[in-house]
Amino acid sequence: LLRLAVLGSGAGSNLRAIIAAISEKKLKAEIAVTLTDQADSGFRKIASEAGLPALHVDGGANPHRLSEAAQKEIFEHLERARVDVVVLAGFMRILKEPVISAYAGRIVNVHPSLLPKHKGANAPQMALDEGAQETGCTVHLVTAEIDAGLILAQAKVPVHAGDTAETLHARIKVEEHKLLPQVLNEWCERGLPVRGAGAS
Ligand code: GAR
């Protein structure tokens, strides 16, 4: 079984979707470790309640960056847990060396937009500000350049009149919860998934 590390900072709904896919045998992988920079997050609660190792790493003062010590600490946790694939499920700090090189081609991120549109931290709001008719979510490989690695799969979501960033983001998450486990399972069964896999 492929050994996953799941990293997150927020509500943890994507982690919950991965856990559910594993227990429903739709995803033949195991979660070796979870790791968060937010000690009191929903993400960490979901991990603990599922009986998973739920590690907390102090990321440092800047909420979007990780201190050098934290970058190294995360690397050490991944090595210790003998992780095959690193899944960023709402991890809101930028992962850099040594993890980026050591796990090159084995780190996936889920992002709430149709990349390359709306990179960064407030993607659903960006789609609204632009007056977009549709947006969606993307699962992609993580490289040193933010939100720019190879796109593995995307799903589209309509923007409704009267949407707020919250209502739109909630609709996007419904698709993320299907797409991310699906891409991970393809990875487990067939190796690295191809561009467009699982797109609707
Ligand atoms: C997800 O929508 C994910 O795409 C987004 O954070 C949310 C986490 O939700 N990630 C980013 O915006 C990364 N730039 P969750 O904690 O409920 O899984």
Side-chain angles (χ1 to χ4, degrees), residues 8-15 43 89-92 109-112 120-124 137 147 169 172-173 176-177:
S9 309
S13 68
N14 279 286
L15 171 63
F43 179 94
F91 191 64
M92 299 309 277
N109 181 44
V110 59
H111 184 77
N122 293 306
C137 57
D147 296 334
H169 198 172
I172 293 170
K173 282 193 185 191
E176 292 184 341
H177 300 161

Side-chain angles (χ1 to χ4, degrees), residues 15 19 34 39 41-55:
L15 171 63
I19 293 169
T34 74
S41 55
F43 179 94
R44 194 167 188 213
K45 192 154 176 270
I46 288 168
S48 324
E49 284 173 5
L52 297 168
L55 306 181

Side-chain angles (χ1 to χ4, degrees), residues 29-177:
E30 63 186 315
I31 300 175
V33 69
T34 74
L35 210 148
T36 184
D37 59 320
Q38 301 297 328
D40 294 326
S41 55
F43 179 94
R44 194 167 188 213
K45 192 154 176 270
I46 288 168
S48 324
E49 284 173 5
L52 297 168
L55 306 181
H56 170 247
V57 170
D58 181 351
N62 185 324
H64 305 295
R65 316 240 158 218
L66 284 166
S67 68
E68 238 173 82
Q71 301 278 5
K72 195 157 166 278
E73 197 183 333
I74 291 173
F75 173 73
E76 282 160 7
H77 284 311
L78 299 178
E79 292 288 291
R80 208 168 298 137
R82 293 178 292 109
V83 162
D84 299 306
V85 173
V86 179
V87 184
L88 305 185
F91 191 64
M92 299 309 277
R93 297 190 193 230
I94 301 163
L95 202 53
K96 293 189 178 170
E97 301 299 346
V99 173
I100 287 285
S101 291
Y103 291 83
R106 298 188 289 145
I107 313 172
V108 286
N109 181 44
V110 59
H111 184 77
S113 79
L114 297 173
L115 289 174
K117 287 183 184 163
H118 317 132
K119 297 179 178 181
N122 293 306
Q125 185 62 54
M126 287 181 215
L128 290 179
D129 291 347
E130 189 189 283
Q133 303 278 320
E134 65 173 17
T135 180
C137 57
T138 301
V139 178
H140 67 95
L141 289 180
V142 173
T143 56
E145 198 187 329
I146 294 165
D147 296 334
L150 178 72
I151 291 173
L152 302 175
Q154 293 185 312
K156 291 178 182 169
V157 169
V159 177
H160 293 170
D163 259 339
T164 62
E166 288 68 34
T167 59
L168 180 57
H169 198 172
R171 195 175 310 119
I172 293 170
K173 282 193 185 191
V174 173
E175 295 306 316
E176 292 184 341
H177 300 161

Side-chain angles (χ1 to χ4, degrees), residues 12-30:
S13 68
N14 279 286
L15 171 63
R16 192 192 284 120
I18 293 169
I19 293 169
I22 290 173
S23 75
E24 291 161 14
K25 305 212 186 322
K26 290 180 191 158
L27 170 56
K28 288 159 222 80
E30 63 186 315

